[in-house]
Each structure stands twice: as C-alpha cells, then as structure tokens.
Amino acid sequence: MLSQKALLLGAARRPELRRLVTGNPATRRVVDRFVPGETLEDALAAVRRLTGEGIAVTLDHLGEGVTDRAEATRSRDAYLALLEGLAPLGLGRAAEVSVKLSAFGQALPGGGTDLALELVRPVAEAATAIGTTVTLDMEESTTVDSTLAVLAELRRDHPGTGAVLQAALHRTEEDAAALAVPGSRVRLVKGAYDEPPSVAFQGRHEVDAAYARCLGVLVRGAGYPMVGSHDPRLIAIARRLAGQTGRTPDSWEVQMLYGIRPGEQRRLTDAGVCVRAYVPYGADWYGYFMRRLAERPANLRFFLRSLVTTS
Ligand SMILES: Cc1cc2nc3c(=O)[nH]c(=O)nc-3n(C[C@H](O)[C@H](O)[C@H](O)COP(=O)(O)OP(=O)(O)OC[C@H]3O[C@@H](n4cnc5c(N)ncnc54)[C@H](O)[C@@H]3O)c2cc1C
C-alpha cells in the first residue's frame, strides 16, 4: 500500500489535482505560511525582514519540471531579475539564490543537461558579479548525476557554487566525500522525494543515521557544510561536530525553510550560529507546497481542516 507521503508526492505531479488545490481560495492561507508571496517585491520584503534579524537567505523562484525551452528561458530571466533586485541591497553572500535545474530544462529530451547548464551559467555570472553564490537544489535521484555534472562545470568559473546532497540516497556518503574539498559548499538534507528501496533508505531512523554519517564527512572535510534540517537532534550533532573539529562559526551554517521553526531560527542566530532561511516565492508553488505537506502529517491535517471550515 502506498504511504501518505508517497500519495502526496504523487499528487504533486497530477495536473487535475493541481487545479483543484490551487483554485481553492482557502489553500492560500496555508500556503502563506511557507511562501512569502508571488512577486519579486514580496520576496525582497522577506529578504529585508530576515536579514534585518541577522538571518541570511537563499531565494528560490518557484518552478520545476519545465517542458519546453521557452519556459526554461523564463526561469533564467526570473533569476536574473531577482539578482538585479538584490544588487542595491548590497547584502553579498547574506542573500544567495537556489535553483532547481528542472526549471532550466534539465528534463527536456536530447540535451537537457546541456540546456540547463547554458541557462544557469548567466545566473551564476550575475550572482558572482554582486558577490554572492548559487546553490543547485537536488531533485529526484534520477537527476543526481546530471546535477553534479552541471555543478562541476559551474565550479570551474564560480567555485562557490553550492550543491545539495540527500542523506536518504545510498550513494550520498560517497558523494559527500568527493565534495568535502576546499571551496566547496554542500547543503545536506534528508531528501524530499519518494525514492525506491533500490536507491534510498526507507525508514526514518535509517535516514537520520545516514544524515549523521554524511554530516561527519562534511564537517571533518575541507568544504563549507550547510546543515539543511529542522531536526533538533541533527542540529545538535552538527554543533558538537563543529566544536570538536575546531570550526569557527563562519565556516559552516544551518539552513531552514521559510516559515518552519522560525523561533528556532532566531534562537540559533542569537546563540551565534550562522542561519540561512530558504525563501521560495512565485506563482508556481504547488509542487513545493505538496512536499511540505508530505513531510508532516500535521500540515496535511491543518490544510484539510482549513478547506472544510471555509467551504
Ligand atoms: C534549507 C533547506 C533546503 C532544502 N533543499 C532540498 C533539496 O534541494 N532537495 C531535497 O530533496 N530536499 C530539500 N529540503 C527538504 C529536506 O529534504 C526535508 O524534506 C525537510 O527538511 C524535512 O526534513 P528535516 O531534516 O527538517 O527533518 P524532519 O524529521 O522531517 O523534521 C524535524 C522537525 O522539523 C519540523 N518540520 C520539518 N518539516 C516540516 C514541515 N514541512 N512543516 C512543518 N514543520 C516541519 C517539525 O518540527 C519536525 O518535527 C530542504 C530543506 C531545507 C531545510
């Protein structure tokens, strides 16, 4: 039988459900918790507020799985406009961007990886020009090789380009070792996609144990680890490891999603930990929203209740 998580992640790819969920006005209030708004102005307002509280940001212009070149080009243009909007704020590395290569045409048949590289390169150039960086989000396991290939190309000219590794995947400990090198920035996450047992750990405890192992590799390594998790146990392990290995506070960071455990984001910042919030914005929030529902049964219950009480 399919798990609730698998059902929700499957629903994220169904156009008829997308119409049903996004067309319901009650959905908006729940989405607002995770997405500050649909426009660049909304995103920049969130950037000003968070950075004013000492929390760095990584911005994601929502969109994924594009099916033609024109759409992929629009993703590039949205990121170029975003970086132009960030420039006058003069935040440097305190405001970087995260991109999903599937929004840049990675899945297009016959040369999707090349197209994604061609379109993301100007984004990396624009980021470098204002003193900041790009991080490549990681999507389904079938895309990992392609994403790491684009990363390697971008890092030749933009060595600060960041990668994301998903602890749930069997291969990740090896990928972490390969990327734990000077100048390399790696965000470690548990993994938000539904993956088969042939490539991924299935149980929560197995994934957490794998996360702790990969964290050890990254924190002991020579790169810049980015601990992408809201899990207090894993953050405590990261802090302990950083202390044991003599890392200074500016040599690693914790990353959390906008709207999730905001009090903890402030508490860690006050305790001297570098914290970065992942801030998604834009109209295409459906896939991102469904993954947040899939992560936590309480979110789904809250969402369903809000639909029932307003209809
Ligand atoms: C900055 C950042 C970037 C990410 N980028 C990627 C990526 O590129 N690719 C990818 O596959 N995944 C990505 N993820 C998602 C990640 O893989 C997990 O699905 C997600 O972070 C939940 O795992 P967790 O480590 O927070 O632990 P969990 O055990 O899931 O959660 C720990 C606690 O955090 C809180 N929490 C967690 N999720 C939610 C939620 N949705 N709503 C409310 N509370 C919640 C709860 O209090 C929960 O008990 C990213 C996560 C972060 C924080």
Side-chain angles (χ1 to χ4, degrees), residues 16 19 25 47 51 62 65 72-73 75 89 105 111 128 142 218 224 232 256 262 274:
E16 70 282 13
R19 274 193 297 277
V47 170
T51 54
L62 289 163
T73 307
S75 295
L89 303 186
T128 301
T142 48
L218 292 172
Y224 181 86
M256 294 193 191
C274 288

Side-chain angles (χ1 to χ4, degrees), residues 5 33-34 58 98-100 135-140 163-167 187-193 195 204 208 211 227-232 234 254-261 276-279 288-289 291-296 298-299:
K5 181 176 176 187
R33 177 180 164 199
F34 301 111
T58 182
S98 286
V99 307
K100 284 190 173 45
T135 293
L136 304 182
D137 282 355
M138 195 58 85
E139 302 176 72
E140 283 87 354
V164 177
L165 295 179
Q166 299 155 322
R187 176 197 304 154
L188 181 65
V189 300
K190 289 189 184 178
Y193 297 84
E195 301 290 354
R204 174 171 277 273
D208 288 358
Y211 194 108
V227 182
S229 179
H230 315 92
D231 188 331
L234 294 174
V254 170
Q255 297 191 348
M256 294 193 191
L257 301 176
Y258 176 89
I260 300 185
R261 305 197 72 208
R276 189 179 297 274
Y278 182 106
V279 182
Y288 181 86
F289 177 62
R291 286 194 293 280
R292 303 296 78 81
L293 293 188
E295 276 156 5
R296 205 163 177 242
N299 288 347

Side-chain angles (χ1 to χ4, degrees), residues 67 105-112:
T67 49
Q106 185 182 42
L108 262 61

